[in-house]
Amino acid sequence: MRKLLRTIFLVDLVQGLMVTFRTQNPKNIVTEQYPAQRPRVAERYRGAPRLNINPENGQTLCIACDLCALGCPENLIVVGWQRNPETKRKDLINFTYDTSRCMFCGLCEDACPVDALELTQDFELANYSREGAIFDRQILEEGIKPTKYKF
């Protein structure tokens, strides 16, 4: 009979709710007000890639050595280059980075001997198409622009 009354009056449910409400403190509830307030990103976070520019001459630091493409386990970096007949050096023609397949491991960044490729702390990489996730040389040199939301 006692078991039947406990079942009818949902005693176990009420006891569980009492424990829940006793431990809830409104001071401990945290809600991020994203996009109005930008979240703090960890110092070692690896996000969107960027090709660094030499501040002296305004050209990319990339020497087209192709070590970043060789170091990438996903084979998502394509470096196009052409040898300059006058200087006998490689000139970078195109640089493609597919962020849709990237796992942001940082091996490409570590492989670069001149620190031309860098993984920044930019985290807004959402796109409406897969083609939007493929960054060409121009996007990589300028860096991605975060979306400005109006309120």
Side-chain angles (χ1 to χ4, degrees), residues 11-150:
V11 173
D12 294 332
L13 177 66
V14 172
Q15 286 176 344
L17 288 173
M18 285 174 44
V19 170
T20 302
F21 290 127
R22 194 172 346 135
T23 58
Q24 278 187 337
N25 188 352
K27 290 186 272 183
N28 297 336
I29 298 173
V30 178
T31 302
E32 287 187 4
Q33 299 299 322
Y34 180 80
Q37 295 175 351
R38 308 295 290 175
R40 292 186 328 132
V41 180
E43 184 180 329
R44 293 175 17 176
Y45 177 79
R46 293 186 294 249
R50 180 178 62 212
L51 275 176
N52 290 325
I53 303 288
N54 188 349
E56 296 174 2
N57 58 13
Q59 295 180 351
T60 182
L61 290 173
C62 182
I63 57 174
C65 64
D66 207 29
L67 288 176
C68 56
L70 293 173
C72 179
E74 294 293 324
N75 297 325
L76 53 90
I77 302 173
V78 177
V79 179
W81 56 273
Q82 183 177 17
R83 188 155 311 264
N84 189 340
E86 297 171 2
T87 61
K88 305 286 190 222
R89 298 181 75 185
K90 293 179 181 179
D91 289 337
L92 184 67
I93 295 176
N94 61 0
F95 194 99
T96 309
Y97 195 105
D98 187 1
T99 58
S100 66
R101 293 179 21 217
C102 184
M103 58 185 173
F104 303 101
C105 62
L107 292 175
C108 57
E109 182 180 19
D110 294 339
C112 185
V114 292
D115 293 331
L117 188 62
E118 176 184 20
L119 294 178
T120 64
Q121 292 188 334
D122 299 331
F123 59 90
E124 293 177 332
L125 298 175
N127 289 300
Y128 289 106
S129 66
R130 290 188 182 191
E131 289 79 26
I134 299 173
F135 294 170
D136 61 352
R137 179 180 176 182
Q138 180 183 1
I139 295 172
L140 289 168
E141 288 177 350
E142 294 172 359
I144 61 169
K145 308 280 189 277
T147 306
K148 304 256 182 186
Y149 297 100
K150 297 177 183 176

